Amino acid sequence: VQQVNQLRHLSDLAREVAPIQGATDLRDLYAALARSVRQTLNVDGCLVSVWDRERNALVDMAASVMPPYRLNTLTQQFSLTDFPAMSEVLKKGKSLEVSVSDPEAHPAEIEFLRQMKVRRALYCRMMADGEVIGTVESYRIEDRPFRKDDFRQVDLLVGFAASAYSRIKLAERLEGHYMTTIEAMVNALEARDPGTVSHTGRIRDLAVSLAVAIKLPAELRHAIKLGALLHDVGKIGISDSILGKPGALTDAEWVQMRCHPEIGVRMLQGIEFLQPSVPIIRHHHEFWNGAGYPDGLAGEDIPIGARIVSVCDAYDAMTSDRAYRKAMSRDDACAEIDRGAGTQFDPGCARLLVKLIQSMGEVDNLEERFVRYAN
Ligand SMILES: [Fe+2]
């Protein structure tokens, strides 16, 4: 019986470990870790937080919860000077159990548990490549102690996450080399049109947040990130007199302007790692109702990445100052996006973008401010 139990245990573990090993970016990895720890320990919530060395703070990155338990979806930051027990865990690496009924627990830690509406927590440290990455926090609504086995299982899962972390970091370093090339292209474009400086960066942040909210897979999110940065790269091939024209364009000028998606596609032909982003660049001016360009695609025939970039591009254009008009307020721009839902924009994407903007406040670093839910 014991052997059968051990085998079952092993196959359960293998199932929990697979998403950790399969993660292709750090946010996915943290989410997979939060979920597997929560399921393996059968706790109400698990939070993965990363240590910000400079500020000596913990920043929540991913969460997995057992309904009806709920956590805030906005990234929280906690200064570690306020939490001595958690600091100890980060410094020494020894896992720590905290309970609201423990008379020796630090008042700040107990107050924190009360705010989280839980009675017991297990804090563990995550390391990779000899460096402290952050913590894995497991929460129980009931004040029920953790078993020795729980400690061991978290350690094991964190160990798997650590090797995935090293692999992802290496891939990111390689990616950094080609990102330099992409940035050079984007800078060349923005230099032509000073009104659009940092425009592409903002659209990328919005588009990636939307892709995360729709729970698109990591490869597609990556294609959207690059596609959002490069969506207008074909404008490099549009003449200055059109690009910089302060007033309305003539019909003939519009014909030229409307070539920029296809010019972009031609520019990026043959660059293999950008191929998943090419459909986004080609179709970012298509309309949901089929009235857009260059191909007049409609509805879900338009690639999802292009639908996302289209609505983010429109929002960002409306909320930016241009030579010929002032920026619209956030609320007016959201109303405008709402009006275009179902005609210009994918209604699902439009609604989600408005919701995201209204719940998140400012648009800067949206992705960083968003705790990823694993379930
Ligand atoms: Fe465009």
Side-chain angles (χ1 to χ4, degrees):
V1 172
Q2 202 192 352
Q3 272 181 341
V4 170
N5 274 342
Q6 276 177 346
L7 269 178
R8 187 172 302 147
H9 191 74
L10 260 180
S11 72
D12 283 351
L13 191 68
R15 203 175 42 237
E16 294 305 334
V17 165
I20 293 179
Q21 289 179 322
T24 51
D25 70 21
L26 287 182
R27 298 209 146 227
D28 263 7
L29 172 66
Y30 298 141
L33 178 61
R35 180 175 44 218
S36 51
V37 169
R38 189 196 43 81
Q39 283 177 347
T40 307
L41 266 57
N42 195 20
V43 285
D44 296 293
C46 177
L47 205 54
V48 173
S49 311
V50 161
W51 182 40
D52 180 333
R53 205 166 300 240
E54 264 164 53
R55 293 192 209 123
N56 191 30
L58 276 179
V59 184
D60 296 346
M61 298 300 286
S64 176
V65 292
M66 182 75 174
Y69 185 59
R70 196 79 197 137
L71 292 162
N72 196 339
T73 48
L74 271 184
T75 305
Q76 305 261 5
Q77 246 195 63
F78 303 99
S79 171
L80 279 164
T81 41
D82 302 335
F83 298 102
M86 189 71 100
S87 298
E88 257 328 84
V89 173
L90 270 179
K91 214 182 296 165
K92 303 215 170 117
K94 195 166 175 296
S95 297
L96 179 82
E97 192 169 351
V98 186
S99 157
V100 288
S101 58
D102 179 0
E104 280 168 35
H106 193 277
E109 308 275 356
I110 290 188
E111 179 52 31
F112 176 72
L113 293 186
R114 291 226 163 91
Q115 278 174 20
M116 299 281 287
K117 298 192 169 60
V118 292
R119 295 194 183 80
R120 194 167 280 258
L122 176 61
Y123 300 143
C124 305
R125 183 174 76 172
M126 175 162 58
M127 300 259 300
D129 301 327
E131 277 184 40
V132 175
I133 307 302
T135 58
V136 178
E137 304 133 52
S138 307
Y139 297 107
R140 272 196 180 132
I141 296 172
E142 265 178 63
D143 194 8
R144 186 159 52 84
F146 287 92
R147 293 168 302 151
K148 261 218 177 81
D149 212 29
D150 293 332
F151 283 71
R152 269 202 296 269
Q153 280 175 331
V154 180
D155 279 349
L156 203 62
L157 291 170
V158 166
F160 279 109
S163 57
Y165 181 95
S166 311
R167 171 179 54 73
I168 291 168
K169 274 288 183 194
L170 183 67
E172 278 183 353
R173 256 201 302 282
L174 293 173
E175 191 186 303
H177 294 307
Y178 70 64
M179 280 310 282
T180 322
T181 315
I182 290 181
E183 270 159 28
M185 282 199 263
V186 171
N187 287 341
L189 173 66
E190 290 187 339
R192 295 269 313 280
D193 189 359
T196 63
V197 172
S198 80
H199 170 76
T200 44
R202 279 194 308 267
I203 294 173
R204 174 204 55 204
D205 290 347
L206 277 177
V208 171
S209 307
L210 219 54
V212 169
I214 303 176
K215 297 196 167 76
L216 294 178
E219 301 82 61
L220 197 47
R221 288 204 307 272
H222 191 64
I224 289 171
K225 181 168 121 187
L226 300 181
L229 279 174
L230 291 168
H231 70 282
D232 271 345
V233 76
K235 282 189 181 170
I236 288 177
I238 305 293
S239 73
D240 276 330
S241 61
I242 297 177
L243 216 54
K245 190 172 174 179
L249 299 184
T250 65
D251 286 350
E253 287 166 338
W254 265 119
V255 170
Q256 275 205 48
M257 187 64 156
R258 289 203 175 108
C259 290
H260 77 269
E262 284 155 289
I263 296 172
V265 169
R266 259 178 276 139
M267 282 175 65
L268 304 180
Q269 243 163 25
I271 307 179
E272 203 189 313
F273 73 89
L274 290 176
Q275 292 317 297
S277 303
V278 164
I280 298 172
I281 293 157
R282 179 170 185 96
H283 297 297
H284 76 274
H285 283 290
E286 304 282 3
F287 278 24
W288 181 255
N289 65 5
Y293 63 92
D295 297 317
L297 296 185
E300 289 183 2
D301 285 344
I302 308 166
I304 179 69
R307 282 180 265 153
I308 288 177
V309 169
S310 159
V311 70
C312 297
D313 185 21
Y315 175 81
D316 188 71
M318 284 186 250
T319 51
S320 309
D321 279 325
R322 287 292 145 87
Y324 46 92
R325 60 153 175 76
K326 275 292 200 200
M328 248 185 225
S329 76
R330 191 196 304 164
D331 286 347
D332 287 348
C334 282
E336 207 48 48
I337 294 289
D338 251 345
R339 249 193 298 281
T343 49
Q344 183 172 353
F345 311 118
D346 172 342
C349 290
R351 235 156 266 147
L352 200 60
L353 178 67
V354 168
K355 210 174 112 193
L356 210 65
I357 285 161
Q358 284 170 344
S359 65
M360 297 276 179
E362 309 118 64
V363 180
D364 294 332
N365 294 323
L366 261 188
E367 208 210 353
E368 263 105 77
R369 300 176 45 209
F370 197 58
V371 170
R372 183 165 305 178
Y373 269 85
N375 37 352

